[in-house]
Amino acid sequence: MTTDKTAMIRIRGLKKDFGDNHVLRGIDYDIQKGQKIVLVGPSGCGKSTFLRCINLLETPTDGEIWLDDVKVNDPATDINKVRRRMGMVFQRFNLFQNLTIMDNITLAPVKLGILSKEEAKEKALQLLKRVNLQDKADAYPHSLSGGMQQRIAIVRALEMNPEVMLFDEPTSALDPEMVGEVLEVMKQLADEGMTMVVVTHEMAFAREIASRVLFIDEGVIKEEGSPEDFFTHPKNLRLQDFLSKVL
Amino acid sequence: MDSISTQFYKAFIRNDRWLLYVKGLGNTLEVTAFAALLGVVLGTLACLFNLQRSKSGKRTIGSYIAYVYIDVIRGTPTMIQLLIMWNVIMATSKNKILVACMAFGINSGAYVAEILRGGIQSVDEGQMEAGRSLGLTRNMTMLYVVLPQAFKNCFPSLLNEFITLLKETSIAGAVGLTELTHAADQVSSATYQYMMPLLGAAVMYFVVVKILSFLFGILERKLRESDNR
Ligand SMILES: Nc1ncnc2c1ncn2[C@@H]1O[C@H](COP(=O)(O)OP(=O)(O)OP(=O)(O)O)[C@@H](O)[C@H]1O
Ligand SMILES: [Mg+2]
């Protein structure tokens, strides 16, 4: 375990209980700028909880989360400012149902006074072009396929110029034929050097883009390693068992 | 007993009595409209405060106030609220319309708050989470994302509340306001016949309710179209 103070995200002794359910039981981890961290583990092991603690959608029961020199879970920290620096993509897209695609993307930067309406639109159009959806700017989320919605959800997060992107099973709610188009966008992002924390069951994808892969089980990180070591020489028995089921 | 046509003549035409119904209907509509407006504004605020929690998950002071307001208003008769408004709170005011608007608006607000709470709870939690994850505050996400969806979700219940409100204004005669029911009652007293004036008032209420439902139907369809659902 490194205790490198230069790491972009530092997680120390992270614990999260839901009542008597001790989901996270002490997690320490450092994420360097530009790294792509992939989290795997059995259903219900706390992968989402871990990810959601990083941007404080869940409040940790104990421990510390640092983003550079800001303690994220300090009550004195303006969490909204921190969240602007971290994009999140959800399993079920969560596009704003009452807004057009353009308004979905521009709402936050405009209302928060980060970009003017024109700047935000301009930028949104460029991002939409990148994912080949520039012709959907005026559509409403419900009229689009899951794959399109998820690509737009990624664009919506990118519009805020985040320093890190958190993905919680971004392809799990998609029909199989749409998984590829979303992974493709994520790959592009990874190639451009974005720092990413990804929960996924797409093992081939994990192998391809991951800097490090983590196996979370029983509330702790049971194994951590390069994708090569992680997938070909897993040491932990539970991980071996897990991989034999998903590979 | 007079013939039907004589009854009709006495109830509506003699002494230009129809003018009294028109005045009553006007007052009824005026009170309903302003009370509905006040009710939506108050109800939205009350609902938002009612749902407000501190970081530790406890009700805030505003939340308690909203809760008590909703609870007390829904737990007491509208007639008593109206009489208290007229005789106590606004006892110095001679403006019956204003008093009625206030009483019915405050009354309706409590019901709108509860309707809207249902509407907000039927909006997927992921909508709020997505807003928060982008750095929007809870209030901003509420205003721009959740509330618009909540209002649409509870459109039929809101229409119902407005219809109830319209009919409930018929008790405003108790403070001497000439709304539609009171107008019909005055005609009855003057002519010693009840069927025609009350039937006439009932028909007018009914027609207004139908028009209201029709307009809401159009509005609802518009909302759905713009939404591609
Ligand atoms: N808001 C909550 N309240 C209570 N319990 C919760 C809450 N969120 C998660 N849990 C519980 O915490 C545990 C971990 O949940 P989590 O969603 O983090 O798992 P996961 O690893 O993401 O699983 P999956 O692969 O199914 O998405 C589960 O037992 C779950 O029931
Ligand atoms: Mg999960």
Side-chain angles (χ1 to χ4, degrees), chain B residues 12-53:
Chain B
F12 298 106
I13 301 178
R14 195 156 81 194
N15 299 340
D16 278 341
R17 286 202 171 104
W18 59 275
L19 280 171
L20 197 59
Y21 298 90
V22 169
K23 182 178 167 215
L25 182 61
N27 284 341
T28 291
L29 292 178
E30 192 177 341
V31 170
T32 304
F34 283 107
L37 205 67
L38 182 60
V40 168
V41 173
L42 267 183
T44 306
L45 287 173
C47 173
L48 292 179
F49 274 108
N50 189 26
L51 293 174
Q52 202 177 54
R53 295 292 180 274

mmCIF file of all heavy atoms in Angstrom, chain B residues 12-53:
data_model
loop_
_atom_site.group_PDB
_atom_site.id
_atom_site.type_symbol
_atom_site.label_atom_id
_atom_site.label_comp_id
_atom_site.label_asym_id
_atom_site.label_seq_id
_atom_site.Cartn_x
_atom_site.Cartn_y
_atom_site.Cartn_z
ATOM 1 N N PHE B 12 -84.948 33.896 -12.701
ATOM 2 C CA PHE B 12 -83.839 34.443 -13.490
ATOM 3 C C PHE B 12 -84.112 35.790 -14.150
ATOM 4 O O PHE B 12 -83.202 36.575 -14.364
ATOM 5 C CB PHE B 12 -83.434 33.438 -14.586
ATOM 6 C CG PHE B 12 -82.936 32.148 -14.026
ATOM 7 C CD1 PHE B 12 -83.723 31.012 -14.081
ATOM 8 C CD2 PHE B 12 -81.690 32.069 -13.417
ATOM 9 C CE1 PHE B 12 -83.273 29.811 -13.557
ATOM 10 C CE2 PHE B 12 -81.235 30.874 -12.891
ATOM 11 C CZ PHE B 12 -82.026 29.747 -12.950
ATOM 12 N N ILE B 13 -85.377 36.060 -14.499
ATOM 13 C CA ILE B 13 -85.625 37.216 -15.360
ATOM 14 C C ILE B 13 -86.210 38.399 -14.616
ATOM 15 O O ILE B 13 -85.752 39.530 -14.777
ATOM 16 C CB ILE B 13 -86.526 36.791 -16.534
ATOM 17 C CG1 ILE B 13 -85.800 35.680 -17.308
ATOM 18 C CG2 ILE B 13 -86.824 37.993 -17.450
ATOM 19 C CD1 ILE B 13 -86.515 35.100 -18.453
ATOM 20 N N ARG B 14 -87.187 38.125 -13.750
ATOM 21 C CA ARG B 14 -87.820 39.232 -13.057
ATOM 22 C C ARG B 14 -86.789 40.022 -12.245
ATOM 23 O O ARG B 14 -85.888 39.450 -11.652
ATOM 24 C CB ARG B 14 -88.929 38.721 -12.119
ATOM 25 C CG ARG B 14 -89.826 39.878 -11.696
ATOM 26 C CD ARG B 14 -91.192 39.419 -11.297
ATOM 27 N NE ARG B 14 -91.183 38.908 -9.930
ATOM 28 C CZ ARG B 14 -92.184 38.206 -9.420
ATOM 29 N NH1 ARG B 14 -93.230 37.890 -10.153
ATOM 30 N NH2 ARG B 14 -92.126 37.789 -8.193
ATOM 31 N N ASN B 15 -86.942 41.323 -12.250
ATOM 32 C CA ASN B 15 -86.016 42.234 -11.545
ATOM 33 C C ASN B 15 -84.555 42.046 -11.971
ATOM 34 O O ASN B 15 -83.639 42.289 -11.199
ATOM 35 C CB ASN B 15 -86.085 42.032 -10.032
ATOM 36 C CG ASN B 15 -87.471 42.309 -9.488
ATOM 37 O OD1 ASN B 15 -88.276 42.990 -10.145
ATOM 38 N ND2 ASN B 15 -87.758 41.795 -8.322
ATOM 39 N N ASP B 16 -84.378 41.556 -13.210
ATOM 40 C CA ASP B 16 -83.004 41.315 -13.697
ATOM 41 C C ASP B 16 -82.186 40.439 -12.748
ATOM 42 O O ASP B 16 -81.017 40.673 -12.482
ATOM 43 C CB ASP B 16 -82.256 42.646 -13.891
ATOM 44 C CG ASP B 16 -82.611 43.277 -15.222
ATOM 45 O OD1 ASP B 16 -83.105 42.530 -16.103
ATOM 46 O OD2 ASP B 16 -82.408 44.492 -15.378
ATOM 47 N N ARG B 17 -82.862 39.397 -12.209
ATOM 48 C CA ARG B 17 -82.167 38.573 -11.211
ATOM 49 C C ARG B 17 -80.945 37.864 -11.773
ATOM 50 O O ARG B 17 -80.020 37.525 -11.042
ATOM 51 C CB ARG B 17 -83.138 37.534 -10.633
ATOM 52 C CG ARG B 17 -84.128 38.173 -9.693
ATOM 53 C CD ARG B 17 -84.737 37.198 -8.709
ATOM 54 N NE ARG B 17 -85.493 37.942 -7.739
ATOM 55 C CZ ARG B 17 -86.837 38.006 -7.742
ATOM 56 N NH1 ARG B 17 -87.549 37.335 -8.613
ATOM 57 N NH2 ARG B 17 -87.442 38.751 -6.844
ATOM 58 N N TRP B 18 -80.951 37.613 -13.091
ATOM 59 C CA TRP B 18 -79.796 36.893 -13.670
ATOM 60 C C TRP B 18 -78.484 37.628 -13.382
ATOM 61 O O TRP B 18 -77.432 37.036 -13.263
ATOM 62 C CB TRP B 18 -79.981 36.685 -15.174
ATOM 63 C CG TRP B 18 -80.136 37.961 -15.955
ATOM 64 C CD1 TRP B 18 -81.287 38.656 -16.161
ATOM 65 C CD2 TRP B 18 -79.098 38.695 -16.603
ATOM 66 N NE1 TRP B 18 -81.058 39.774 -16.903
ATOM 67 C CE2 TRP B 18 -79.709 39.825 -17.198
ATOM 68 C CE3 TRP B 18 -77.721 38.505 -16.774
ATOM 69 C CZ2 TRP B 18 -78.989 40.771 -17.930
ATOM 70 C CZ3 TRP B 18 -77.009 39.431 -17.498
ATOM 71 C CH2 TRP B 18 -77.639 40.567 -18.067
ATOM 72 N N LEU B 19 -78.600 38.949 -13.203
ATOM 73 C CA LEU B 19 -77.393 39.719 -12.897
ATOM 74 C C LEU B 19 -76.762 39.284 -11.577
ATOM 75 O O LEU B 19 -75.545 39.294 -11.411
ATOM 76 C CB LEU B 19 -77.737 41.211 -12.813
ATOM 77 C CG LEU B 19 -77.863 41.914 -14.154
ATOM 78 C CD1 LEU B 19 -78.414 43.329 -13.975
ATOM 79 C CD2 LEU B 19 -76.510 41.958 -14.859
ATOM 80 N N LEU B 20 -77.623 38.860 -10.651
ATOM 81 C CA LEU B 20 -77.133 38.418 -9.348
ATOM 82 C C LEU B 20 -76.307 37.132 -9.495
ATOM 83 O O LEU B 20 -75.249 36.980 -8.870
ATOM 84 C CB LEU B 20 -78.330 38.175 -8.420
ATOM 85 C CG LEU B 20 -78.031 38.104 -6.921
ATOM 86 C CD1 LEU B 20 -77.384 39.390 -6.431
ATOM 87 C CD2 LEU B 20 -79.304 37.810 -6.138
ATOM 88 N N TYR B 21 -76.791 36.212 -10.355
ATOM 89 C CA TYR B 21 -76.026 34.982 -10.583
ATOM 90 C C TYR B 21 -74.686 35.302 -11.236
ATOM 91 O O TYR B 21 -73.658 34.722 -10.907
ATOM 92 C CB TYR B 21 -76.780 34.004 -11.501
ATOM 93 C CG TYR B 21 -78.092 33.515 -10.946
ATOM 94 C CD1 TYR B 21 -79.268 34.199 -11.210
ATOM 95 C CD2 TYR B 21 -78.141 32.347 -10.188
ATOM 96 C CE1 TYR B 21 -80.467 33.749 -10.715
ATOM 97 C CE2 TYR B 21 -79.347 31.880 -9.690
ATOM 98 C CZ TYR B 21 -80.523 32.592 -9.957
ATOM 99 O OH TYR B 21 -81.699 32.143 -9.479
ATOM 100 N N VAL B 22 -74.752 36.239 -12.193
ATOM 101 C CA VAL B 22 -73.512 36.596 -12.899
ATOM 102 C C VAL B 22 -72.495 37.151 -11.910
ATOM 103 O O VAL B 22 -71.325 36.783 -11.911
ATOM 104 C CB VAL B 22 -73.786 37.622 -14.022
ATOM 105 C CG1 VAL B 22 -72.481 38.189 -14.569
ATOM 106 C CG2 VAL B 22 -74.593 36.965 -15.131
ATOM 107 N N LYS B 23 -72.981 37.989 -11.027
ATOM 108 C CA LYS B 23 -72.091 38.564 -10.013
ATOM 109 C C LYS B 23 -71.550 37.448 -9.104
ATOM 110 O O LYS B 23 -70.354 37.385 -8.788
ATOM 111 C CB LYS B 23 -72.867 39.587 -9.172
ATOM 112 C CG LYS B 23 -72.020 40.268 -8.130
ATOM 113 C CD LYS B 23 -72.845 41.309 -7.365
ATOM 114 C CE LYS B 23 -72.102 41.762 -6.114
ATOM 115 N NZ LYS B 23 -73.004 42.036 -5.003
ATOM 116 N N GLY B 24 -72.453 36.540 -8.707
ATOM 117 C CA GLY B 24 -72.033 35.421 -7.846
ATOM 118 C C GLY B 24 -71.006 34.548 -8.532
ATOM 119 O O GLY B 24 -69.971 34.207 -7.948
ATOM 120 N N LEU B 25 -71.287 34.239 -9.779
ATOM 121 C CA LEU B 25 -70.360 33.383 -10.525
ATOM 122 C C LEU B 25 -69.002 34.070 -10.653
ATOM 123 O O LEU B 25 -67.946 33.442 -10.495
ATOM 124 C CB LEU B 25 -70.938 33.069 -11.912
ATOM 125 C CG LEU B 25 -70.105 32.144 -12.788
ATOM 126 C CD1 LEU B 25 -69.935 30.779 -12.130
ATOM 127 C CD2 LEU B 25 -70.732 31.982 -14.178
ATOM 128 N N GLY B 26 -69.056 35.384 -10.928
ATOM 129 C CA GLY B 26 -67.810 36.151 -11.048
ATOM 130 C C GLY B 26 -66.998 36.063 -9.758
ATOM 131 O O GLY B 26 -65.794 35.788 -9.787
ATOM 132 N N ASN B 27 -67.671 36.274 -8.637
ATOM 133 C CA ASN B 27 -66.964 36.196 -7.359
ATOM 134 C C ASN B 27 -66.422 34.794 -7.110
ATOM 135 O O ASN B 27 -65.300 34.616 -6.638
ATOM 136 C CB ASN B 27 -67.896 36.603 -6.213
ATOM 137 C CG ASN B 27 -68.095 38.109 -6.165
ATOM 138 O OD1 ASN B 27 -67.281 38.855 -6.730
ATOM 139 N ND2 ASN B 27 -69.165 38.553 -5.532
ATOM 140 N N THR B 28 -67.230 33.789 -7.435
ATOM 141 C CA THR B 28 -66.785 32.401 -7.261
ATOM 142 C C THR B 28 -65.510 32.140 -8.054
ATOM 143 O O THR B 28 -64.541 31.589 -7.550
ATOM 144 C CB THR B 28 -67.896 31.430 -7.720
ATOM 145 O OG1 THR B 28 -68.984 31.531 -6.795
ATOM 146 C CG2 THR B 28 -67.399 30.000 -7.760
ATOM 147 N N LEU B 29 -65.528 32.576 -9.322
ATOM 148 C CA LEU B 29 -64.365 32.334 -10.176
ATOM 149 C C LEU B 29 -63.146 33.115 -9.679
ATOM 150 O O LEU B 29 -62.030 32.602 -9.675
ATOM 151 C CB LEU B 29 -64.680 32.717 -11.621
ATOM 152 C CG LEU B 29 -65.707 31.820 -12.312
ATOM 153 C CD1 LEU B 29 -65.979 32.312 -13.733
ATOM 154 C CD2 LEU B 29 -65.220 30.373 -12.343
ATOM 155 N N GLU B 30 -63.394 34.354 -9.251
ATOM 156 C CA GLU B 30 -62.290 35.182 -8.787
ATOM 157 C C GLU B 30 -61.627 34.567 -7.555
ATOM 158 O O GLU B 30 -60.399 34.422 -7.490
ATOM 159 C CB GLU B 30 -62.794 36.598 -8.464
ATOM 160 C CG GLU B 30 -61.683 37.589 -8.243
ATOM 161 C CD GLU B 30 -62.220 39.007 -7.997
ATOM 162 O OE1 GLU B 30 -63.387 39.263 -8.350
ATOM 163 O OE2 GLU B 30 -61.466 39.819 -7.448
ATOM 164 N N VAL B 31 -62.470 34.183 -6.600
ATOM 165 C CA VAL B 31 -61.916 33.581 -5.377
ATOM 166 C C VAL B 31 -61.190 32.276 -5.708
ATOM 167 O O VAL B 31 -60.083 32.018 -5.227
ATOM 168 C CB VAL B 31 -63.039 33.328 -4.341
ATOM 169 C CG1 VAL B 31 -62.514 32.483 -3.183
ATOM 170 C CG2 VAL B 31 -63.587 34.651 -3.832
ATOM 171 N N THR B 32 -61.809 31.455 -6.569
ATOM 172 C CA THR B 32 -61.186 30.178 -6.920
ATOM 173 C C THR B 32 -59.831 30.393 -7.577
ATOM 174 O O THR B 32 -58.843 29.751 -7.222
ATOM 175 C CB THR B 32 -62.087 29.372 -7.883
ATOM 176 O OG1 THR B 32 -63.373 29.216 -7.268
ATOM 177 C CG2 THR B 32 -61.501 28.008 -8.177
ATOM 178 N N ALA B 33 -59.783 31.312 -8.536
ATOM 179 C CA ALA B 33 -58.543 31.532 -9.280
ATOM 180 C C ALA B 33 -57.417 32.009 -8.364
ATOM 181 O O ALA B 33 -56.318 31.450 -8.370
ATOM 182 C CB ALA B 33 -58.771 32.535 -10.404
ATOM 183 N N PHE B 34 -57.706 33.033 -7.557
ATOM 184 C CA PHE B 34 -56.633 33.559 -6.708
ATOM 185 C C PHE B 34 -56.260 32.578 -5.604
ATOM 186 O O PHE B 34 -55.091 32.453 -5.232
ATOM 187 C CB PHE B 34 -57.021 34.928 -6.138
ATOM 188 C CG PHE B 34 -56.879 36.023 -7.153
ATOM 189 C CD1 PHE B 34 -57.995 36.611 -7.741
ATOM 190 C CD2 PHE B 34 -55.614 36.452 -7.549
ATOM 191 C CE1 PHE B 34 -57.857 37.605 -8.704
ATOM 192 C CE2 PHE B 34 -55.465 37.445 -8.506
ATOM 193 C CZ PHE B 34 -56.592 38.029 -9.079
ATOM 194 N N ALA B 35 -57.260 31.875 -5.077
ATOM 195 C CA ALA B 35 -56.966 30.881 -4.038
ATOM 196 C C ALA B 35 -56.123 29.747 -4.622
ATOM 197 O O ALA B 35 -55.198 29.256 -3.978
ATOM 198 C CB ALA B 35 -58.250 30.338 -3.434
ATOM 199 N N ALA B 36 -56.422 29.360 -5.860
ATOM 200 C CA ALA B 36 -55.648 28.291 -6.490
ATOM 201 C C ALA B 36 -54.202 28.735 -6.677
ATOM 202 O O ALA B 36 -53.261 27.982 -6.401
ATOM 203 C CB ALA B 36 -56.265 27.908 -7.831
ATOM 204 N N LEU B 37 -54.042 29.972 -7.129
ATOM 205 C CA LEU B 37 -52.697 30.517 -7.333
ATOM 206 C C LEU B 37 -51.923 30.539 -6.020
ATOM 207 O O LEU B 37 -50.799 30.043 -5.917
ATOM 208 C CB LEU B 37 -52.821 31.937 -7.892
ATOM 209 C CG LEU B 37 -51.652 32.458 -8.697
ATOM 210 C CD1 LEU B 37 -51.510 31.670 -9.992
ATOM 211 C CD2 LEU B 37 -51.856 33.946 -9.000
ATOM 212 N N LEU B 38 -52.564 31.099 -5.002
ATOM 213 C CA LEU B 38 -51.941 31.156 -3.678
ATOM 214 C C LEU B 38 -51.657 29.746 -3.168
ATOM 215 O O LEU B 38 -50.607 29.475 -2.579
ATOM 216 C CB LEU B 38 -52.866 31.912 -2.708
ATOM 217 C CG LEU B 38 -52.370 32.118 -1.285
ATOM 218 C CD1 LEU B 38 -51.081 32.922 -1.271
ATOM 219 C CD2 LEU B 38 -53.440 32.819 -0.440
ATOM 220 N N GLY B 39 -52.611 28.859 -3.422
ATOM 221 C CA GLY B 39 -52.467 27.476 -2.968
ATOM 222 C C GLY B 39 -51.267 26.788 -3.601
ATOM 223 O O GLY B 39 -50.525 26.073 -2.926
ATOM 224 N N VAL B 40 -51.061 27.007 -4.895
ATOM 225 C CA VAL B 40 -49.934 26.365 -5.571
ATOM 226 C C VAL B 40 -48.606 26.913 -5.036
ATOM 227 O O VAL B 40 -47.669 26.162 -4.757
ATOM 228 C CB VAL B 40 -50.028 26.555 -7.100
ATOM 229 C CG1 VAL B 40 -48.728 26.162 -7.775
ATOM 230 C CG2 VAL B 40 -51.178 25.729 -7.655
ATOM 231 N N VAL B 41 -48.552 28.233 -4.863
ATOM 232 C CA VAL B 41 -47.312 28.836 -4.357
ATOM 233 C C VAL B 41 -47.035 28.367 -2.922
ATOM 234 O O VAL B 41 -45.954 27.856 -2.607
ATOM 235 C CB VAL B 41 -47.400 30.380 -4.401
ATOM 236 C CG1 VAL B 41 -46.187 31.002 -3.715
ATOM 237 C CG2 VAL B 41 -47.490 30.848 -5.850
ATOM 238 N N LEU B 42 -48.042 28.523 -2.061
ATOM 239 C CA LEU B 42 -47.891 28.095 -0.662
ATOM 240 C C LEU B 42 -47.618 26.599 -0.574
ATOM 241 O O LEU B 42 -46.761 26.150 0.183
ATOM 242 C CB LEU B 42 -49.176 28.395 0.111
ATOM 243 C CG LEU B 42 -49.278 29.715 0.846
ATOM 244 C CD1 LEU B 42 -50.608 29.776 1.595
ATOM 245 C CD2 LEU B 42 -48.125 29.864 1.818
ATOM 246 N N GLY B 43 -48.371 25.846 -1.364
ATOM 247 C CA GLY B 43 -48.245 24.389 -1.325
ATOM 248 C C GLY B 43 -46.863 23.930 -1.751
ATOM 249 O O GLY B 43 -46.284 23.020 -1.152
ATOM 250 N N THR B 44 -46.321 24.565 -2.792
ATOM 251 C CA THR B 44 -44.986 24.195 -3.256
ATOM 252 C C THR B 44 -43.955 24.485 -2.171
ATOM 253 O O THR B 44 -43.115 23.642 -1.847
ATOM 254 C CB THR B 44 -44.624 24.982 -4.533
ATOM 255 O OG1 THR B 44 -45.657 24.785 -5.502
ATOM 256 C CG2 THR B 44 -43.303 24.503 -5.107
ATOM 257 N N LEU B 45 -44.057 25.681 -1.585
ATOM 258 C CA LEU B 45 -43.118 26.038 -0.516
ATOM 259 C C LEU B 45 -43.261 25.092 0.668
ATOM 260 O O LEU B 45 -42.273 24.564 1.196
ATOM 261 C CB LEU B 45 -43.363 27.485 -0.067
ATOM 262 C CG LEU B 45 -42.902 28.559 -1.054
ATOM 263 C CD1 LEU B 45 -43.338 29.945 -0.583
ATOM 264 C CD2 LEU B 45 -41.394 28.503 -1.234
ATOM 265 N N ALA B 46 -44.514 24.866 1.080
ATOM 266 C CA ALA B 46 -44.760 24.004 2.241
ATOM 267 C C ALA B 46 -44.212 22.605 1.977
ATOM 268 O O ALA B 46 -43.599 21.991 2.849
ATOM 269 C CB ALA B 46 -46.246 23.946 2.558
ATOM 270 N N CYS B 47 -44.422 22.113 0.760
ATOM 271 C CA CYS B 47 -43.956 20.775 0.409
ATOM 272 C C CYS B 47 -42.438 20.701 0.491
ATOM 273 O O CYS B 47 -41.880 19.773 1.070
ATOM 274 C CB CYS B 47 -44.441 20.420 -0.988
ATOM 275 S SG CYS B 47 -43.754 18.892 -1.600
ATOM 276 N N LEU B 48 -41.767 21.708 -0.097
ATOM 277 C CA LEU B 48 -40.302 21.685 -0.096
ATOM 278 C C LEU B 48 -39.757 21.773 1.327
ATOM 279 O O LEU B 48 -38.839 21.046 1.696
ATOM 280 C CB LEU B 48 -39.753 22.825 -0.949
ATOM 281 C CG LEU B 48 -40.030 22.681 -2.447
ATOM 282 C CD1 LEU B 48 -39.465 23.863 -3.223
ATOM 283 C CD2 LEU B 48 -39.433 21.376 -2.977
ATOM 284 N N PHE B 49 -40.357 22.656 2.129
ATOM 285 C CA PHE B 49 -39.888 22.768 3.514
ATOM 286 C C PHE B 49 -40.184 21.482 4.281
ATOM 287 O O PHE B 49 -39.377 21.009 5.066
ATOM 288 C CB PHE B 49 -40.532 23.969 4.208
ATOM 289 C CG PHE B 49 -39.771 25.242 3.965
ATOM 290 C CD1 PHE B 49 -40.285 26.231 3.133
ATOM 291 C CD2 PHE B 49 -38.530 25.447 4.553
ATOM 292 C CE1 PHE B 49 -39.575 27.401 2.894
ATOM 293 C CE2 PHE B 49 -37.814 26.611 4.313
ATOM 294 C CZ PHE B 49 -38.337 27.589 3.492
ATOM 295 N N ASN B 50 -41.343 20.922 4.038
ATOM 296 C CA ASN B 50 -41.737 19.705 4.738
ATOM 297 C C ASN B 50 -40.735 18.573 4.491
ATOM 298 O O ASN B 50 -40.471 17.760 5.365
ATOM 299 C CB ASN B 50 -43.134 19.282 4.279
ATOM 300 C CG ASN B 50 -43.707 18.149 5.115
ATOM 301 O OD1 ASN B 50 -43.341 17.976 6.274
ATOM 302 N ND2 ASN B 50 -44.593 17.365 4.532
ATOM 303 N N LEU B 51 -40.174 18.548 3.285
ATOM 304 C CA LEU B 51 -39.231 17.469 2.946
ATOM 305 C C LEU B 51 -37.797 17.791 3.360
ATOM 306 O O LEU B 51 -36.911 16.958 3.236
ATOM 307 C CB LEU B 51 -39.265 17.215 1.431
ATOM 308 C CG LEU B 51 -40.565 16.643 0.859
ATOM 309 C CD1 LEU B 51 -40.496 16.578 -0.647
ATOM 310 C CD2 LEU B 51 -40.820 15.258 1.440
ATOM 311 N N GLN B 52 -37.583 19.021 3.851
ATOM 312 C CA GLN B 52 -36.214 19.441 4.174
ATOM 313 C C GLN B 52 -35.676 18.724 5.415
ATOM 314 O O GLN B 52 -36.365 18.599 6.411
ATOM 315 C CB GLN B 52 -36.232 20.951 4.425
ATOM 316 C CG GLN B 52 -34.900 21.617 4.246
ATOM 317 C CD GLN B 52 -35.032 23.121 4.439
ATOM 318 O OE1 GLN B 52 -35.537 23.583 5.449
ATOM 319 N NE2 GLN B 52 -34.573 23.878 3.454
ATOM 320 N N ARG B 53 -34.443 18.259 5.298
ATOM 321 C CA ARG B 53 -33.797 17.600 6.440
ATOM 322 C C ARG B 53 -32.407 18.185 6.630
ATOM 323 O O ARG B 53 -31.754 18.567 5.677
ATOM 324 C CB ARG B 53 -33.652 16.086 6.195
ATOM 325 C CG ARG B 53 -34.983 15.338 6.085
ATOM 326 C CD ARG B 53 -35.733 15.304 7.401
ATOM 327 N NE ARG B 53 -36.990 14.598 7.267
ATOM 328 C CZ ARG B 53 -38.131 15.167 6.858
ATOM 329 N NH1 ARG B 53 -38.154 16.453 6.542
ATOM 330 N NH2 ARG B 53 -39.230 14.462 6.757
#
